[in-house]
Amino acid sequence: MFSWGEDSQRGFRLKDDSDTAPPTAEGLHHLQLGYHITALSAGRNVLAFLKSNGNAFIIPITESPAGSRVRGKQKFVKFKDKIKAVSCGDDTVTLLSERGQVLCLDTKLVPRPMKILCAVSQVACGSHHSVALTKDGQVYTWGQGSRGQLGLGERQPSATSPQHLNALSAVPLVQVAAGGGQSFALSVSGALFSWGSNHCGQLGLGDTTDRHTPTPVHCLNLKKTTHISCGKDHTATLTKDGAVFTFGSGEHGQLGHNSFRDELRPRLVAELWGPKVTKIACGRHHTLVLTDSKRVYSFGCGEQGQLGHGEESNPSVPLPVQLPQDTNDVIKNIFAGGNVSFAVYTSNEDVQEEANTVRVNTVTHCLDHMIDKWTAECDSKSWKKMKQEIHRMFSSASCLNACFLEKSRDEHFQTSPKYCGLNLPLAQLAFQKLVEDALLNLLPSLDKQPVGVEGLRIFLILNELLHVIQNHKPPLKSIKLAKAIAAAVLNLSAGSLQVIGNWWSSLPSSTMSKHVEVWKQALSVILSDESLHRNSEVRNLLLVLQYMYNANCRTAEPQQMPESKFCLLMNKEFLLQDLQLWRSRSQSKKNTEPLILCSFPSVMDLESKKYVFDRNAEYTKNEAQQPIFWEFFWKTQDVVFEVDVRRGSVLKDTFEHLASINQSDYKIPLVVYYDGNLPGWDDFYGYVKDFFYEVFHEMVSAETGMFMYNDSKTLAWFPSKAAPEDQRYLHFGVLCGLALYNQCIIHLPFPLALFKKLLGVKPSLGDMMEFSPFVGKGLKNILEDYTDEEKGILDLDFSIYWDGTNVDLDPQNPEKPLTGQNRKEYVEAYVSHAFNTSVEGVFQEFKRGFFQVCDQDLVKLFRPRELQEVLVGQDFNDWARLKQVTVYEGEYNTTPLHPTIQMFWEVFDDLTEDQKKAFLWFVTGFERVPVLDLEKFKMKIRDQQVQGPPDQFYPKAHTCFSDLELPLYSTKEIMQTRLTEALSSNKIIFAGTELGRCLV
């Protein structure tokens, strides 16, 4: 071994009691020990080392009467077990046995075990405190903690016995380190956590404030840090690629940055960038490094010769230590402590080197191997031991967290708030072999705000475990664990939930889908239980699913899961119970909460939402009728909302009628009269459908002047010049609400932006693309074709031309030029003006009218696209399917098809697309098909009973039931003539008249 620095050669028993060879010119001593040193640590008043046989020795350091420091002779530490690690503080020595016991030496050099600690894998001592890492990844600290070096918070400045550092319990740690008053912990994926004294920036956090709890060193994220070493007031880290970062006190040049100033953040030692560094070691005020070429470099304080440069200087850059050259000697390890340095060499090149980086396996045992051994045939003793070991791992978030890392291409080192660094298929494979109840003990101990993001990986692993349990156990068996995991997730802080959400967003869609199914399956089991309890545990499961839904919404569109994947199957009885709870809460202000309604619409499919909305409308109609019913009871009047209009002025009469009634009338059943004609008891719905058909076609036509239109005249929007006082916009909203309330689809050629605004969703550039493709594409090009550096774009400014008016988008800065830096602001302002600012007054009137009819909370169950589909319906052009599902009655119910029916389909096939659409309206009263009736939609055709020759009569439709009465025409030509005349007629003529479209 080579030694240099303060009295470095003294104290060691040399081979054959030989004398120490004279030092080299640089002050290096060549010590012929005769044994191999595996570990060495030097404090201010003591030095300790280990032999390869597991024996421990100490060398005391005392102060002579003359004031110089003198090293005594080595003394053997007697203990029954072998020692595997040693660490020294200023006055203390801590040993670690191979069994994992921590031993503290008393003044008589007797090792005293710390009974509170067991299964320890590492120990590290600062000046007056100690840190221990257990095999299951837990950290314990004790000693003085006035500067926060124990990490237990400001209320615990010291501890005489080891205290658990719970903040790091979920992080898979591989190393702990301690310096003068600072402490560090390193995770398996290279995340570094620091706490304690920071007056020189030795914690690497960018300031000089002490930390009393572990804090992530964000500057070293993604650097692949594999080792830490601490001096008194400075710190060095080593990466897997061989780069060295230093920070803290630079007073003596110990940071190696060619300066003597302190560094508050980790800084790369540029002078070491060429050679790959394999080991680092920090003394009190100096630093050593060993490269892969087996050269040793040193920098920092050299007053005691601890740099090995032959002169008492403080070089601030790494310089090589001039070790004697011997081709048979290979430097194997370096040690530094206090004011001394050591380099251990071996002449046996076959000896495998012990890496300076702590192996992942010291904490992350091979779970898969252990499971295989446990499930294989073996003796009972081995089986029990394996079971205990596996149970221990599943009880430790740290161990479980480290078992399933994505190690290919070192990807787990890229762990960040955006990437979890896990190999989830590996977790699933392991869990398919094993399921353990130990997790139920683990979950309550998880910290709600783990230090660093690695501690959060456990929650993705738990998702995989729950998936496996559900596939291999009866459904009820997994519910308890699902509830416990959900409670642990929801106990996390908002910041931690955000990180998990980001990881969910980054998962492959197949994995994300699997995780969603885990929670859906648990909820399905619960919701199918007749004795369903609407408690916080069930709500927790729903909240987790909601968080996953929110994460999916933030995912880029190609990787997004369909929103329907989040929907649960809910029976109507459950939905009605939830609706009753919601109604009782909203009506009587009772403290009853529905489980799903208005809280978790993301788990409801469109059918469930519309069912709840329609049933609520029925309940509301019945309740609204009751007071009026008793008022008119003795007059025997029907309790309905009557709208009496003339055929030639439907819209005008409607507006006048709406202006004259109380809005409470909107809630009772709607009945429409045409020209005083009273519908029969089964004619109500047909009249209502025709009413909405006519009123909306007339209202959105250009003749009313109520709306502006896009260039193709296919979509309408509110005009910017309209006055909010114009009651027509209020009534427009009322009519839309009445249509939804009465389950009618309407002609409403508006962009999706209308429905977004109704639901409080901000219109986007995509809405402009829909309404005005020309403008939308232009705005999109501005965003995509220019960079932030562009000084001017197409000589444009913030003035636009919209709806026939020149508008300044930024009135405070007239003629502000459009540049690369403000192009996003320009696009957002353009879209906002078109859909928000220019129409705010009239839209608010429309919205007010709409929600005078419909309950806002229930409308918000729908997504914008869903609300549009429910109000407007969907196009139907699957005419072949219509033919397949049509039902025949009366004389036409024959096999094979009746000749008249064969003739009808031949005529129908010859119709144009527009004529077929007209036929759809003729039979159903709708130009489009109600969205949920698309699959159910079918038509019935029966023979028409007529008085006289059938060729003289027209087809007759009963729109309430989608029935067509077809006379027995004699020829195809006559049928074609009668049908096309009926379809082309704009007049509505009632049953018993010439054209025979019967509104039933």
Side-chain angles (χ1 to χ4, degrees), residues 753 756-757 759-765 767 828 831-832 835-836 864:
K756 283 186 173 182
K757 286 175 67 66
L759 298 172
V761 179
K762 183 180 176 182
S764 64
L765 177 58
D767 299 301
E828 290 176 0
V831 172
S832 182
F835 293 121
N836 299 320

Side-chain angles (χ1 to χ4, degrees), residues 817-836:
L818 172 60
T819 67
Q821 290 188 339
N822 65 23
R823 69 191 193 281
K824 292 181 181 177
E825 176 192 352
Y826 172 82
V827 171
E828 290 176 0
Y830 200 129
V831 172
S832 182
H833 175 80
F835 293 121
N836 299 320

Side-chain angles (χ1 to χ4, degrees), residues 313-335:
S313 62
N314 297 345
S316 59
V317 294
L319 296 176
V321 177
Q322 299 302 320
L323 295 171
Q325 298 296 314
D326 188 328
T327 56
N328 293 322
D329 294 339
V330 177
I331 300 299
K332 182 179 179 181
N333 214 339
I334 54 174
F335 303 101

Side-chain angles (χ1 to χ4, degrees), residues 541-594:
L541 296 173
L542 286 163
L543 280 168
V544 172
L545 195 56
Q546 180 68 45
Y547 285 136
M548 299 191 81
Y549 172 83
N550 296 341
N552 185 62
C553 291
R554 297 195 300 270
T555 305
E557 209 163 289
Q559 286 78 41
Q560 246 184 38
M561 286 174 56
E563 292 180 329
S564 60
K565 291 286 187 180
F566 291 86
C567 296
L568 298 169
L569 290 176
M570 289 174 276
N571 60 51
K572 292 183 178 180
E573 182 179 349
F574 166 78
L575 290 171
L576 286 178
Q577 290 173 0
D578 233 30
L579 176 60
Q580 293 293 357
L581 285 173
W582 177 81
R583 287 177 62 82
S584 64
R585 182 197 64 173
S586 60
Q587 292 171 2
S588 60
K589 309 299 181 185
K590 290 183 180 178
N591 196 24
T592 53
E593 289 288 334

Side-chain angles (χ1 to χ4, degrees), residues 232-283:
K232 181 178 182 297
D233 300 315
H234 78 290
T235 308
T237 66
L238 176 65
T239 73
K240 187 173 184 179
D241 299 324
V244 177
F245 291 81
T246 58
F247 45 98
S249 173
E251 178 184 0
H252 303 282
Q254 63 263 51
L255 302 184
H257 300 310
N258 197 24
S259 75
F260 296 92
R261 68 171 183 265
D262 297 348
E263 294 290 343
L264 306 186
R265 291 186 175 85
R267 180 179 172 186
L268 178 69
V269 182
E271 294 290 333
L272 293 171
W273 185 242
K276 180 180 180 180
V277 175
T278 59
K279 300 179 186 297
I280 55 174
C282 291

Side-chain angles (χ1 to χ4, degrees), residues 157-186:
S158 63
T160 56
S161 61
Q163 303 295 310
H164 182 219
L165 197 53
N166 190 60
L168 295 171
S169 60
V171 181
L173 300 174
V174 290
Q175 189 197 352
V176 290
Q182 72 267 35
S183 304
F184 286 85
L186 176 66

Side-chain angles (χ1 to χ4, degrees), residues 1-5 8-9 20-31 296 298 304-311 320-325 331 341-343:
M1 181 174 71
F2 296 103
S3 66
W4 59 98
S8 64
Q9 79 282 13
T20 304
T24 65
E26 291 79 13
L28 275 69
H29 296 273
H30 188 185
L31 306 180
V296 179
S298 62
Q304 303 292 330
Q306 60 264 51
L307 300 184
H309 297 155
E311 53 186 50
V321 177
Q322 299 302 320
L323 295 171
Q325 298 296 314
I331 300 299
S341 304
F342 301 90

Side-chain angles (χ1 to χ4, degrees), residues 113-153:
M114 302 190 77
K115 296 182 179 180
I116 196 172
L117 284 177
C118 60
V120 173
S121 62
Q122 291 179 38
V123 290
C125 294
S127 292
H128 302 289
H129 76 287
S130 300
V131 186
L133 177 65
T134 64
K135 292 180 179 179
D136 59 358
Q138 303 306 298
V139 177
Y140 291 82
T141 60
W142 65 97
Q144 293 183 14
S146 58
R147 303 295 296 271
Q149 57 264 53
L150 301 187
L152 302 173

